[in-house]
Amino acid sequence: MTETVDDLSVRYVEDGIETTQELDKVILTKGSWTTIVFRYRDWDRAKNSYGPDKFTIRRYQKRSGEYRQQSKFNISSRAQAQSLVNALQGWLAEAED
């Protein structure tokens, strides 16, 4: 388990291959409940290369000094990510009126 927010990652190595490569992360909230959005890509063994960018939002809770993942939402494509951005921008624009 991880003790600091900065050490939280979606990176995963299996059989010496980085099967999940973390490209970036943005910490949205810190504290006993932490929310992070990650940009990553998965290794495609058939093509012997990394696939397209993907995104995931993860929630972690700190208990007994360690962060534990409590939930996640995977955004599986750029199109889905753009739809989410558009929805949020629309709502935020309405809130300003």
Side-chain angles (χ1 to χ4, degrees):
M1 287 287 125
T2 306
E3 294 180 9
T4 68
V5 172
D6 294 325
D7 291 335
L8 293 169
S9 176
V10 293
R11 182 178 184 267
Y12 187 75
V13 176
E14 183 179 311
D15 298 328
I17 297 172
E18 189 175 13
T19 57
T20 301
Q21 182 183 56
E22 183 181 307
L23 301 173
D24 199 8
K25 74 177 174 184
V26 176
I27 299 168
L28 302 175
T29 59
K30 286 185 177 182
S32 60
W33 283 90
T34 296
T35 306
I36 303 175
V37 60
F38 293 94
R39 178 177 159 224
Y40 70 99
R41 57 187 181 171
D42 290 325
W43 180 253
D44 186 334
R45 291 182 189 270
K47 294 181 180 177
N48 205 32
S49 64
Y50 286 101
D53 290 5
K54 296 180 180 181
F55 312 91
T56 185
I57 301 169
R58 307 264 172 123
R59 293 270 293 161
Y60 299 89
Q61 184 178 24
K62 192 168 191 177
R63 282 191 184 168
S64 304
E66 295 181 336
Y67 283 96
R68 299 174 191 268
Q69 182 180 302
Q70 297 297 314
S71 62
K72 68 179 178 179
F73 173 72
N74 292 325
I75 302 167
S76 58
S77 68
R78 294 184 73 83
Q80 187 180 33
Q82 189 61 59
S83 294
L84 178 59
V85 168
N86 293 344
L88 291 171
Q89 285 178 333
W91 292 336
L92 290 171
E94 288 174 11
E96 290 177 354
D97 294 336

